[in-house]
Amino acid sequence: MDGKCCRVRVTEAAPHLTFPSVFATPLRFESWNAGFRWKRETDGWSVSAPQFPWKLAGSEGSGQMNLMLPPPASPVLSLKAQFAVEDAARLKPYMPQHWGEGLRQWLTRGLVRVPIPKATLVIDGTLADVPYVHKPGSWSLEAEVSVAAAFDAAGWPALTGLGAALACR
């Protein structure tokens, strides 16, 4: 170790990650197993994890990420994660803060039971610019959704027994 680079292997940890500008609730992982490498670059620190499996609120997956920490600017994230979810309703506490209050309330009331057998999340850009409307960067979520019961909110018809491909960008 020369003070410019370091590696650490985290095995079977259950970390809580706090991103108050993105999520109102800390991400409370049930498990996370990853090798991290950080290195001092000319414009800050680079943190990477070439492979990290995790479990979070009934979801299970793995991904790769690189995070640039350029002081004093916002971090820049490059992330690709593949995962499955027993029931997406369990992920409601982790809805992004930038989603409108009306949407978050509607999803909180309406999502009842939504298994997601396969999904991919990609984020590439400055975290302060999420959701990248009129800003450089991109994000996408593609998922196979199997709706057992959803949108069972007052005034809305119940939706059950539906399979769909969901693509958000």
Side-chain angles (χ1 to χ4, degrees):
M1 183 172 359
D2 61 6
K4 295 181 182 177
C5 179
C6 191
R7 293 181 186 166
V8 66
R9 178 98 191 140
V10 178
T11 58
E12 294 305 316
H16 294 183
L17 300 177
T18 303
F19 299 106
S21 64
V22 178
F23 302 107
T25 304
L27 300 171
R28 300 181 192 285
F29 287 88
E30 295 147 21
S31 71
W32 185 338
N33 184 345
F36 291 94
R37 180 172 191 242
W38 61 94
K39 181 179 180 184
R40 181 177 290 280
E41 305 283 355
T42 56
D43 55 349
W45 286 91
S46 171
V47 181
S48 63
Q51 186 70 14
F52 62 93
W54 81 88
K55 292 182 183 179
L56 167 72
S59 69
E60 185 170 353
S62 66
Q64 308 82 37
M65 74 100 191
N66 187 49
L67 181 66
M68 276 300 302
L69 302 167
S74 176
V76 179
L77 177 65
S78 178
L79 169 78
K80 182 171 184 181
Q82 301 82 27
F83 59 97
V85 184
E86 292 173 6
D87 181 3
R90 291 185 56 197
L91 295 171
K92 288 189 278 189
Y94 306 116
M95 284 187 267
Q97 294 276 61
H98 71 269
W99 288 2
E101 185 63 26
L103 174 60
R104 285 187 283 131
Q105 287 180 5
W106 183 67
L107 289 171
T108 297
R109 286 189 316 266
L111 286 181
V112 178
R113 195 179 59 208
V114 183
I116 300 175
K118 182 179 177 185
T120 301
L121 173 66
V122 177
I123 300 173
D124 193 13
T126 303
L127 289 177
D129 294 341
V130 171
Y132 307 113
V133 176
H134 310 295
K135 303 269 185 165
S138 64
W139 75 276
S140 68
L141 173 64
E142 296 182 3
E144 294 175 8
V145 180
S146 175
V147 178
F151 305 114
D152 190 16
W156 288 85
L159 178 61
T160 60
L162 175 72
L166 173 70
C168 300
R169 289 173 176 55

